[in-house]
Amino acid sequence: MGKGGGCIPSKRHRATAAADAAPQPLSPTSHRRERTFIPAPSAAVAPAPAPRPVRIYVVFYSMYGHVRLLARAVQRGVGSVPGARALLFRVPETLPPAVLAQMGAKEAADGEDIPVVDLDGLPDADGFLFGFPARFGSMAAQMQAFFDSTEPLCRHQRLAGKPAGFFVSTGTQGGGQETTAWTAITQLAHHGMVFVPIGYTFSEGMFELDELRGGSPYGAGVFSGDGSRPPSELELALAEHHGKYMATLVKRMVHGAS
C-alpha cells in the first residue's frame, strides 16, 4: 500500500484524531447556555379604559303626571343596568297657563325639577325612550310639536341609526295603547332611527288578566281613566322593565356587551 494509505495512520491523521478527542470549551451559544436563558420582562401593557356609560334620553310630555311617573320608572330600569344612565327631559308646553289651569293640569308644578329638552344635545344620546299621553289615538299635540321642531336634525340625519322606543298613557282600554305608539313610528322613520318594541319580554306580566294593566308589545303604558287613576304597581314594573330592556340593547349596540 502507498504511504499513509494502510492500516497504520500517518502522523497527520494521528494529530487530527488527538485533537478531536480533546475536550472542547463551551461556546457562549451552547445548548446548555440557551436552556438557562431568562428573557427580559416585557413592558407592562396598560389595561384598556372602561367603556363610558351609555346615555339614554327619556323625553316625555305629561299633563296630569301619569307619563312622568312612568318616566321615573323607566329611569330606574335603565339605571339598574351597569354602565347605563338615563337622563329625563320634558318637552316644551304649548298651551297657555290659563288653559292648563282650566284643564286641571298637574305637571307644571310636579315636573319643575326636570329640564326642558335641548334639541342641540339630542345627538349626544345613544338611545331614546319617548313618553306621551294619547289624544284621539295618537300622541298629544305638545309631543308632536317637539318632533316637528327636530326638522333640522332630520335634514342632516343626525339621529339616524339611534334606537328608540315609546311609552304611553291613555284614558280607557280602547283609547289607543297600541295605536298611539304605532302612529308615532313615522317620526322615527323620517329620522332614520330604529324602533325598539318590548314584545312580550315582560313574560307572564304581559298576559295579566286579573287586574287592569296598560302597556303592549309596543311599550309600557298606563290607563289613566278620567285622570284620577295613578299607575299601578304592575304598570310601573312594566315601565321599569322597559327601561332595563332598552338599556341592555343599547349597551349591546354601542359596546358589544352581552
Side-chain angles (χ1 to χ4, degrees), residues 49-222:
R52 65 164 179 81
V54 295
R55 296 179 295 263
I56 296 180
Y57 285 10
V58 182
V59 183
F60 69 94
Y61 175 75
S62 181
M63 178 174 285
Y64 298 106
H66 300 80
V67 177
R68 176 177 53 81
L69 292 175
L70 289 184
R72 295 286 193 189
V74 166
Q75 183 183 39
R76 290 193 299 271
V78 172
S80 69
V81 177
R85 181 186 179 197
L87 301 176
L88 296 184
F89 297 99
R90 293 180 293 139
V91 304
E93 180 59 75
T94 60
L95 293 176
V99 175
L100 292 173
Q102 291 180 354
M103 298 177 68
K106 301 177 182 179
E107 183 60 21
D110 295 340
E112 288 181 350
D113 61 321
I114 301 173
V116 174
V117 64
D118 176 19
L119 294 181
D120 292 335
L122 291 179
D124 295 334
D126 298 301
F128 295 91
L129 282 170
F130 299 107
F132 38 83
R135 299 290 186 265
F136 305 104
S138 59
M139 69 174 66
Q142 291 87 341
M143 199 71 189
Q144 183 65 61
F146 157 74
F147 277 113
D148 289 348
S149 70
T150 63
E151 188 276 336
L153 299 177
C154 180
R155 186 188 316 153
H156 299 287
Q157 290 293 279
R158 298 191 63 194
L159 302 181
K162 294 183 182 293
F166 304 122
F167 56 97
V168 303
S169 170
T170 68
T172 65
Q173 296 181 31
Q177 285 284 312
E178 293 194 358
T179 62
T180 304
W182 178 48
T183 53
I185 294 176
T186 58
Q187 310 296 327
L188 305 187
H190 284 268
H191 278 284
M193 302 172 76
V194 181
F195 174 54
V196 180
I198 60 173
Y200 288 88
T201 58
F202 195 48
S203 62
E204 292 83 3
M206 296 297 292
F207 301 94
E208 176 61 48
L209 297 177
D210 293 335
E211 66 174 282
L212 191 65
R213 176 194 59 78
S216 73
Y218 290 87
V222 57

